[in-house]
Amino acid sequence: MSGLGLGEDPTEGRAELAGKSCILAIETSCDDTAAAVVEDGRRVLSNKVFSQITTHERFGGVVPEVASRKHVETITWMIEDALKEAKIGLADLSAVAVTQGPGLVGSLLVGVTAAKALACALDVPLIGVHHIAGHIYANQLVQELVYPLVALVVSGGHTELVYLEREGHFRILGQTRDDAAGEAYDKVGRAMELPFPGGPYIDRLACEADAAVVMPRAWLEPESYDFSFSGLKSAVLNVLNQARMRGETVVYAHLARGFQESVVEVLVEKALRAVKATGAKQLLLAGGVAANQGLRGTLTARCAADGISLVIPPLSLCMDNAAMIAVAAHLKWKHGLFTSLDMKAEPTLSLEEWSIVPRIIVR
Amino acid sequence: MTGIQKEGGGIETGAMGETVERENRGTNPAGKWLAIDTSTSAMTLAVFNGQSVLGESNLHAVRNHSTLLIPAIQELVKSLDMTMKDLQGIAAGKGPGSYTGVRIGVTAAKTLAWALGVPLVGVSSLEAMAYGGLCDFGGRRTDDAGLLDRNSGPGGKMMNLNQWVVPLMDARRNQAFTGLYVSEGTKWSCLAEDSIRLMTSEWAEALVDIYGQPGRIVFVGEIEPFGDIIDQVSKLVDCMVIREPAVIRARDVGLLGLGQWAQGCGQDVHGFVPNYAQLTEAEKNLVGKST
Ligand SMILES: [Zn+2]
């Protein structure tokens, strides 16, 4: 039972599903309301995302209660749009998948409730999905994955190095001890009075800068794959405060570049070390910060130099989306691992526990 | 209490409300409907055939509507030898109440209605609470001492009384989600719309100043935190004041919803959202800054 994950019902599965699958997935873990239809875990028939960013902009960050309210307003629209664009009907669906966690609990609950209601109305299985498994498996839409592999997951809420020995089997090698990389970007962005979210603006400033204010690197213990970005964030704030006290001006572009170089170098070097140490055949980049040009550029160059096979999803699949949730759900679908309708939204769902443990089929 | 006057759902109530409504075995143009409400800690479901209740499920002190609601719907439908596809309409409590609770009920209702392709009607959770209170406590005969006699049958003399029903839901920090509903003759209407109110003596005075003297007042719902304020209202009116703890029942949500549906008041499924009765804290702060 231990490997089955939360709320899974081992008696309900159809263990030998060989036929085609058409999975509708819903993703509402943070501030985007998304729905998608994916066939056989490979072919994206639709991938709709409603971004709430203009709503949260004026608050300078995502407000959980506001996000939850927006999800309720948008959810059935997105499901309908996803089906229309996929040109299929409700009767064509083989399962409904949804992000079970991690994420903002109020946001997750809207998607989870809608998914359960849909599965119940259509009498099809429900599959609860780990958000990070979704980000990682977005790469399967880009190219065939070869195991073992290492995934570098970088987003507003996550910074993780994950090892996959085989399909659907996740082991966390390292993770952030404080802020996620994306979070550090947002905080630094706010300090530099950039619009929310600050990440893309810092990235642009850094790429255009002709010099850098050198910032410290948080390598932690020599063996560690963990990350820490709060010290770096404080260092940036210090530079800003000291300049303010002395009445000097800071060239934001130089500061942005120094900050970005520090983040990117630590991410890239730890990821490469993990690939070499584990003998991984591929390195996957996943999560919203995968859209960062500085990170993409450095990682591509370093992997090329070291002969490492690197997979980076296109921008639309880096950001939160529901197609990635459908792809990850397909892993469970193949093994007949479904989730019961009393599934709980889990704001701190464990990725390792979500791993796929194939059921033993007794004939 | 600044309320916009509005005609009620046109449901025939009066003193015989309970009998008329709840035991109607006549024709059922609406077919089989599911009614739900999760805006408070009660999780309440009912399946109707026309206006008669085929089955219901009422759970109290529910901590996690999100895990229990859909399985409970499935179970109730199954216990009636029906499938989800037999449902021909959904009525749902849209709040006000617990933000998370209301969201779960509204999201489940709109997704079910959309997936099943059936009509949806949103009902005020406070109105359902008030309507239930009227049926339980408002239509009964009182004895000579003016005390409510629960053992007696429905009494005709209440029929034409101008009865106020004030539903109360604790919204913390001395606030309540409340409204004012009125039953007179066969008419059921809303006098003061649902809102969040600070429960001070100003509220008690305004209630009587604005809306005049009723024939009787029934306070229902979460009565306990508001004992003092109800005492104040009692001193301001010269009629009987009844206070009864009560929870929302889906059968009342369903009856009100079916009444609205009969009057042609359906709800656009995609546009169905909770009535939170107030802005989020973040929005309030933003409004505060800009003024
Ligand atoms: Zn994400």
Side-chain angles (χ1 to χ4, degrees):
Chain A
M1 272 304 284
S2 65
L4 283 168
L6 293 153
E8 247 159 38
D9 181 350
T11 62
E12 260 191 20
R14 283 173 257 165
E16 59 263 84
L17 283 163
K20 273 189 170 295
S21 78
C22 192
I23 296 178
L24 175 116
I26 296 169
E27 145 68 41
T28 62
S29 65
C30 188
D31 60 334
D32 291 324
T33 319
V37 179
V38 176
E39 205 176 61
D40 297 329
R42 296 296 165 111
R43 219 162 70 82
V44 180
L45 301 187
S46 65
N47 191 14
K48 309 297 286 183
V49 182
F50 178 83
S51 168
Q52 301 180 2
I53 205 72
T54 49
T55 305
H56 296 284
E57 237 168 18
R58 59 201 164 115
F59 302 113
V62 174
V63 180
E65 176 62 23
V66 174
S68 307
R69 291 184 178 195
K70 275 277 159 199
H71 285 308
V72 181
E73 288 172 22
T74 324
I75 188 75
T76 53
W77 282 114
M78 297 315 289
I79 299 172
E80 186 171 283
D81 277 4
L83 284 172
K84 270 188 190 158
E85 192 171 300
K87 297 191 177 66
I88 60 158
L90 284 168
D92 300 318
L93 295 178
S94 6
V96 177
V98 66
T99 305
Q100 183 184 1
L104 300 170
V105 68
S107 290
L108 288 169
L109 276 174
V110 177
V112 162
T113 303
K116 286 183 187 181
L118 200 52
C120 169
L122 304 178
D123 196 20
V124 297
L126 174 75
I127 303 172
V129 175
H130 194 287
H131 183 77
I132 296 304
H135 273 305
I136 292 172
Y137 273 89
N139 284 285
Q140 191 166 280
L141 294 168
V142 181
Q143 112 181 36
E144 198 69 36
L145 303 185
V146 186
Y147 301 89
L149 60 81
V150 166
L152 171 61
V153 183
V154 210
S155 72
H158 299 270
T159 310
E160 276 151 32
L161 271 168
V162 186
Y163 176 67
L164 285 85
E165 189 195 356
R166 57 176 189 275
E167 185 178 84
H169 195 269
F170 307 88
R171 190 155 67 81
I172 308 264
L173 298 175
Q175 57 198 318
T176 184
R177 292 181 185 172
D178 38 61
D179 293 350
E183 208 177 338
Y185 269 93
D186 287 345
K187 288 178 179 169
V188 166
R190 210 166 297 153
M192 296 209 263
E193 288 155 342
L194 297 169
F196 174 82
Y201 296 91
I202 294 176
D203 187 21
R204 198 177 313 148
L205 280 174
C207 291
E208 288 164 1
D210 54 4
V213 179
V214 176
M215 288 286 146
R217 268 76 172 145
W219 295 111
L220 306 176
E221 305 80 38
E223 297 298 306
S224 177
Y225 290 113
D226 280 352
F227 302 97
S228 168
F229 295 107
S230 73
L232 172 60
K233 175 200 66 195
S234 305
V236 172
L237 298 185
N238 267 343
V239 170
L240 287 168
N241 287 336
Q242 284 185 4
R244 212 161 286 153
M245 275 172 6
R246 292 188 200 131
E248 297 166 1
T249 50
V250 179
V251 181
Y252 278 180
H254 295 173
L255 193 55
R257 182 163 151 193
F259 167 76
Q260 175 140 312
E261 280 178 355
S262 170
V263 173
V264 168
E265 186 180 335
V266 174
L267 288 174
V268 170
E269 294 312 316
K270 291 211 177 200
L272 293 188
R273 182 155 59 82
V275 169
K276 287 166 192 164
T278 58
K281 297 195 171 90
Q282 277 179 338
L283 173 61
L284 315 185
L285 182 59
V289 182
N292 183 288
Q293 292 302 322
L295 179 59
R296 288 171 95 97
T298 310
L299 199 56
T300 306
R302 289 287 281 111
C303 284
D306 288 14
I308 292 168
S309 159
L310 172 70
V311 189
I312 303 183
L315 294 188
S316 63
L317 293 172
C318 292
M319 313 308 285
D320 285 352
N321 67 86
M324 70 185 199
I325 301 302
V327 176
H330 187 256
L331 304 174
K332 296 249 167 177
W333 163 269
K334 283 197 289 190
H335 294 280
L337 295 169
F338 304 139
T339 317
S340 76
L341 290 179
D342 63 359
M343 178 184 87
K344 206 169 159 233
E346 294 281 355
T348 57
L349 188 67
S350 151
L351 178 60
E352 291 184 350
E353 279 173 30
W354 193 81
S355 290
I356 282 150
V357 178
R359 297 166 56 216
I360 296 153
I361 300 157
V362 183
R363 287 186 195 274
Chain B
M1 290 291 262
T2 56
I4 301 161
Q5 276 223 353
K6 144 186 130 176
E7 278 292 305
I11 287 186
E12 302 292 310
T13 56
M16 307 293 280
E18 198 164 15
T19 316
V20 173
E21 295 304 321
R22 295 186 177 173
E23 285 160 30
N24 186 328
R25 295 197 177 84
T27 53
N28 53 58
K32 286 173 177 153
W33 277 56
L34 169 71
I36 63 173
D37 190 286
T38 57
S39 59
T40 63
S41 65
M43 188 180 83
T44 174
L45 325 170
V47 172
F48 284 77
N49 187 18
Q51 291 199 325
S52 55
V53 174
L54 295 180
E56 58 184 327
S57 157
N58 295 296
L59 282 178
H60 304 303
V62 173
R63 282 222 198 114
N64 209 333
H65 290 303
S66 87
T67 56
L68 297 178
L69 180 62
I70 299 295
I73 292 173
Q74 219 174 20
E75 204 172 296
L76 178 60
V77 167
K78 202 173 157 195
S79 75
L80 298 169
D81 288 324
M82 290 165 52
T83 68
M84 293 301 289
K85 293 190 169 58
D86 293 325
L87 293 175
Q88 288 157 277
I90 314 261
K94 64 177 177 187
S98 140
Y99 292 171
T100 302
V102 175
R103 260 198 290 279
I104 289 166
V106 165
T107 304
K110 72 194 281 189
T111 311
L112 284 174
W114 177 80
L116 297 169
V118 299
L120 172 67
V121 177
V123 173
S124 153
S125 299
L126 281 173
E127 182 173 359
M129 186 185 257
Y131 188 67
L134 177 81
C135 295
D136 285 355
F137 313 114
R140 306 270 178 165
R141 194 166 56 213
T142 53
D143 65 19
D144 291 341
L147 296 171
L148 188 70
D149 180 0
R150 297 220 189 161
N151 298 319
S152 67
K157 78 177 184 187
M158 287 300 158
M159 184 79 177
N160 292 315
L161 208 58
N162 172 23
Q163 283 195 88
W164 286 7
V165 189
V166 181
L168 291 167
M169 251 187 236
D170 190 2
R172 287 190 285 267
R173 286 180 286 183
N174 198 32
Q175 299 175 107
F177 291 120
T178 186
L180 175 55
Y181 292 87
V182 180
S183 157
E184 192 167 12
T186 57
K187 229 173 83 182
W188 168 252
S189 55
C190 174
L191 213 54
E193 296 216 321
D194 301 351
S195 61
I196 188 163
R197 296 277 150 194
L198 205 56
M199 300 308 277
T200 57
S201 45
E202 285 80 35
W203 175 81
E205 283 157 17
L207 192 68
V208 181
D209 283 355
I210 298 172
Y211 302 107
Q213 290 283 341
R216 192 158 107 134
I217 308 184
V218 187
F219 287 94
V220 289
E222 293 180 285
I223 298 302
E224 209 251 359
F226 306 113
D228 292 350
I229 209 85
I230 297 172
D231 289 344
Q232 288 189 39
V233 174
S234 306
K235 285 176 195 142
L236 296 167
V237 294
D238 48 13
C239 67
M240 188 197 293
V241 173
I242 294 165
R243 59 186 89 186
E244 292 286 348
V247 293
I248 296 172
R249 284 169 311 196
R251 57 166 54 218
D252 299 312
V253 172
L255 288 171
L256 292 166
L258 285 160
Q260 286 185 30
W261 177 245
Q263 291 209 324
C265 304
Q267 168 76 51
D268 164 48
V269 173
H270 292 309
F272 185 42
V273 289
N275 173 17
Y276 299 101
Q278 60 180 340
L279 294 174
T280 62
E281 288 302 319
E283 286 165 318
K284 281 184 204 163
N285 292 341
L286 214 61
V287 172
K289 263 184 217 162
S290 65
T291 50

